[in-house]
Every structure is written in C-alpha cells, then in structure tokens.
Amino acid sequence: MRSRLALVPALALVAATGCAEREPGAVIERDSAGVRVVESRAPAWPPGTEWRVNPEPVFRLGGAEAESSSSFFRILDVALLARGEVIVVDGGTAEVRRYDAGGGHLWSTGGRGEGPGEFRSPRYLGRREDGGFLIWDRALSRVSTMGPSGELLGTERRSGPDGSPLVAFGLFDDGYWLVALPVVIQATEPGITWTDSVELARYDPALDGLVRLTAVLGQRWLWTGQSMLPVPFSPRPLRAIVGNRVAVASGSVPEVSVHDPDGSLAARYRIAREREPVTESDVAQVIESLVELGQGSAPVWRQWRDEMEVPSHEPAFDRLLADGSGNLWARRFTADPLSREPPSWDLFDSAGAWLGVVATPSGMTVTGIRDGLVAGVYRDELGVEHVSVHRLATDPR
C-alpha cells in the first residue's frame, strides 16, 4: 500500500493545496495485479475551496428572438475550442456552426442531405493539427473535413477493417479515433430483454486499423413486439478521452476505469460511499417522466412493467467528461430526466483522487469543459434550446 498524488498544474493549484491539508487515510492507493486502485474516502478540497461554475453565462445563444444563425433545434453537440470559441452541431438544420469567444457567429456549413458537405446525423469529432475540423456522420458512416473557415476539404466513408460499421466519438492526442463497434441484437419474441454492450476501440485513420480497448455495459431494453422500452435505472455506457487513454464507467459503483492505448486496464478510481437503492416509488416516477417524454404510453408501461427486472440500485453516474487538464468529471445519476435541479459532478484529478463535488447550472446539459470554461445545452422552462457558456472559478477567494 502506498500513497501518491500527482496533479496536472493547469487547473489543479487549489486541489494541490487542499490535498496537503486532507485527513490521513482519505485516499488509499494500492496495486492489484498491476492495476492502480485509488479509493477516496473524503474529498480533497477543504470546505470553502471547491470549484464553482458561475451561473451567469459568458454568453448564451438561441431563443425566440434569435437570428437564424443563432437559432437552434435539437442541438447534437457543443464543443469548446481554444480561446473560448465554440463549435455547435444543430440537428434541425444539419449544420455545423462556429462562434467566437463572445458568441459572435463566424460561419455555418453543411445542411441536410447526402452530397459532399451535407449531413444526415453529424457529430463533432475533433480538430486536426493543421486546423481542419472533422465531422462524423453516423447515418452515412463518413467523415467530412472542414477548413478553418468552414470550407469543405474532403469527404470519406469509413468502416472497420472487416467492413463492419463504426461509430466515432472523438480524437485521442495522437490522432487516433475513439470508436464503438455496434452490437446488433434482433429481438423476435415480445418480452425479450437485453443489455447494450458497447465495444470501444482505437481506430487508426491512416492505416485503417483497430486496437480493441474494452467493452462497457449499458442500457437494458425490453421488446414489446412493437417498440423498445428502456428499463428504468439501467446504466449508460460512459466514456471519455484522456490524452491517449480512455476512461469508462457503468453500473451502481462510483468508479471510473482507465485503459491504456493497448487496451490494458491501468487504473480504477473509486469513491467510498453507499450505493443508492431503487424503490417502487422511484420506478413509478421515472416511468411517469418517460411517458411525458414520449418514450412509450402509460398503458404499454402498465402492461410490461412487471416483465422488467429493474436494478436494485441506481447507476452511480450518467455522464463522463474530461476537461483537457487530466481531470475527470462524472455527473451523479439523476433519476428524473425532467428535473430542473442543478446537476452535481464528482471530480477526479489526474492521479485518480476525488477532489469533491461541483454543481453546474440548472437546466443545462454540459458537453464540454476546457480552459476554465464550461459549455453545453441549456433548456429554459418552455424547453427551448440554447447554447450556454459559463466560467469555471477555481480560486476559493
């Protein structure tokens, strides 16, 4: 057994100070078959030194009075760039838009279709070293490269080495892609349940090669014979790129696993806290929210609810992000998808120690954290989508 804390200096100065004052034994690190296991029993931040997200946005785009260049419907992605610029992927128009650090519109590109420079289901993949933007279209299994001003530089279809489909999520520091190899399950008889299993891999776009990393268990489903119903409280397969590693999480244990580029398990980061049990009233509340969101009708849920094996405990997390400085942000699971409560995030430093909890603004789904900024999709009380960027305060003063 040994203790060690090595923090990335960019955003970790406050955390480093707090760690020195932490109670003895708050973090236990040990090796298990070559795997670092870091278990935190108390937050590293002393009271009053926690990081905070300013509820007032640096800028917010969208709304009924917005111009067409800043009006959104079904935002698919919001990504932070250097110097506070933002890339937004709008699903309603199938456009990719770029904004400056003050929210000023720089350019839009794309549009719905299947021709060069058009998209059906676009996602922001990342930025190349030469400044080009990579946009992945899941529906068309292709990547489009846009120049710094939004001009189309090239379009290319991509698949696995054996021709199998790929789903691309983002870029590692060395230019490899993080991809998923979809698992196709054919449900034939009503009442069949199954669990999504997402197999992650590193994809080399130059050599068209794959390095398999790990499989992550995810959402459980029930087939009614006409539609799929999500089993309440089943976990989501979470992943985040950390340099050239991938971090994953799933299930009711508050733990994040980190895998090296060759797929080997390098570390587990844990928080020593009790798991949250699931009650009958919890299940009823979630089903009520799912019906309101249009995921199955109330009569269908009443018919099939008893056929579902609902997990006994809540998932620990429902979102996982990396902030570019080696820190991992794991959003605590929220049962009610319509909740307006400010989400809470457990923050792990680059060595795996639990720093503490950070709250993000109510109504906001955070999609990017970088250089002291937090960006994402804000929905007002009427459900209207906005792009919102907030400042992250790391100075306790």
Side-chain angles (χ1 to χ4, degrees), residues 275-287:
R275 297 182 299 164
E276 293 292 333
V278 174
T279 66
E280 286 292 323
S281 61
D282 294 334
V283 176
Q285 181 182 5
V286 169
I287 290 176

Side-chain angles (χ1 to χ4, degrees), residues 74 76-77 89 121-126 134-138 168:
R74 201 166 56 88
L76 300 178
D77 207 353
V89 180
S121 183
R123 295 293 193 278
Y124 178 69
L125 185 57
L134 298 180
I135 309 300
W136 175 255
D137 193 319
R138 178 172 182 172

Side-chain angles (χ1 to χ4, degrees), residues 246-268:
V246 63
V248 299
S250 179
S252 62
V253 178
E255 174 181 281
V256 176
S257 300
V258 180
H259 293 260
D260 280 333
D262 63 359
S264 60
L265 179 60
R268 296 185 188 274

Side-chain angles (χ1 to χ4, degrees), residues 98 127-133 146-149 153:
R98 185 178 181 181
R127 196 169 190 184
R128 303 192 312 190
E129 291 184 355
D130 62 4
F133 298 95
M146 306 294 178
S149 299
L153 300 181

Side-chain angles (χ1 to χ4, degrees), residues 5-347:
L5 289 176
L7 296 175
V8 174
L11 287 178
L13 181 58
V14 176
T17 303
C19 290
E21 301 172 0
R22 183 172 35 199
E23 63 182 80
V27 175
I28 296 177
E29 180 178 333
R30 60 186 181 275
D31 290 325
S32 176
V35 177
R36 289 181 57 243
V37 179
V38 183
E39 182 171 308
S40 297
R41 300 179 177 179
W45 289 326
T49 66
E50 301 90 348
W51 292 357
R52 304 173 310 282
V53 177
N54 192 329
E56 292 299 318
V58 176
F59 64 84
R60 180 169 286 168
L61 306 174
E65 305 299 324
E67 299 180 358
S68 59
S69 62
S70 300
S71 180
F72 308 102
F73 174 67
R74 201 166 56 88
I75 298 173
L76 300 178
D77 207 353
V78 179
L80 282 166
L81 305 177
R83 300 181 300 278
E85 293 189 350
V86 174
I87 287 284
V88 179
V89 180
D90 183 69
T93 60
E95 287 183 332
V96 179
R97 305 175 187 175
R98 185 178 181 181
Y99 301 87
D100 64 24
H105 178 253
L106 297 175
W107 50 256
S108 297
T109 188
R112 189 161 302 282
E114 299 184 9
E118 297 176 330
F119 306 107
R120 282 180 54 196
S121 183
R123 295 293 193 278
Y124 178 69
L125 185 57
R127 196 169 190 184
R128 303 192 312 190
E129 291 184 355
D130 62 4
F133 298 95
L134 298 180
I135 309 300
W136 175 255
D137 193 319
R138 178 172 182 172
L140 300 176
S141 295
R142 74 183 188 187
V143 63
S144 297
T145 304
M146 306 294 178
S149 299
E151 68 276 18
L152 178 65
L153 300 181
T155 300
E156 188 175 7
R157 292 189 180 275
R158 292 284 182 166
S159 61
D162 58 355
S164 60
L166 294 176
V167 180
F169 296 128
L171 299 184
F172 292 98
D173 285 354
D174 58 10
Y176 279 64
W177 301 2
L178 175 63
V179 301
L181 309 177
V183 177
V184 179
I185 300 176
Q186 293 184 342
T188 55
E189 298 295 328
I192 290 178
T193 60
W194 71 91
T195 300
D196 280 344
S197 178
V198 178
E199 186 172 5
L200 299 177
R202 280 168 49 90
Y203 174 72
D204 184 346
L207 300 178
D208 193 29
L210 282 174
V211 178
R212 297 177 187 270
L213 296 172
T214 185
V216 189
L217 294 179
Q219 180 77 53
R220 189 156 184 81
W221 301 88
L222 180 141
W223 173 245
T224 68
Q226 295 182 332
S227 61
M228 294 186 298
L229 296 180
V231 176
F233 297 97
S234 55
R236 300 171 188 172
L238 309 179
R239 82 280 175 213
I241 293 174
V242 188
N244 288 320
R245 290 174 157 184
V246 63
V248 299
S250 179
S252 62
V253 178
E255 174 181 281
V256 176
S257 300
V258 180
H259 293 260
D260 280 333
D262 63 359
S264 60
L265 179 60
R268 296 185 188 274
Y269 306 154
R270 295 174 179 165
I271 302 173
R273 66 164 177 255
E274 295 295 325
R275 297 182 299 164
E276 293 292 333
V278 174
T279 66
E280 286 292 323
S281 61
D282 294 334
V283 176
Q285 181 182 5
V286 169
I287 290 176
E288 183 179 337
S289 297
L290 291 174
V291 170
E292 187 172 343
L293 290 170
Q295 297 191 40
S297 65
V300 171
W301 276 104
R302 283 197 296 269
Q303 178 183 356
W304 291 100
R305 173 177 169 176
D306 292 339
E307 301 293 327
M308 298 180 178
E309 186 178 346
V310 176
S312 59
H313 293 84
E314 294 183 358
F317 308 122
D318 58 17
R319 196 168 187 85
L320 189 65
L321 294 173
D323 65 12
S325 296
N327 303 308
L328 280 168
W329 297 60
R331 190 176 69 184
R332 293 189 177 185
F333 176 79
T334 300
D336 184 0
L338 300 176
S339 173
R340 299 291 298 183
E341 292 296 319
S344 295
W345 298 71
D346 288 310
L347 184 54

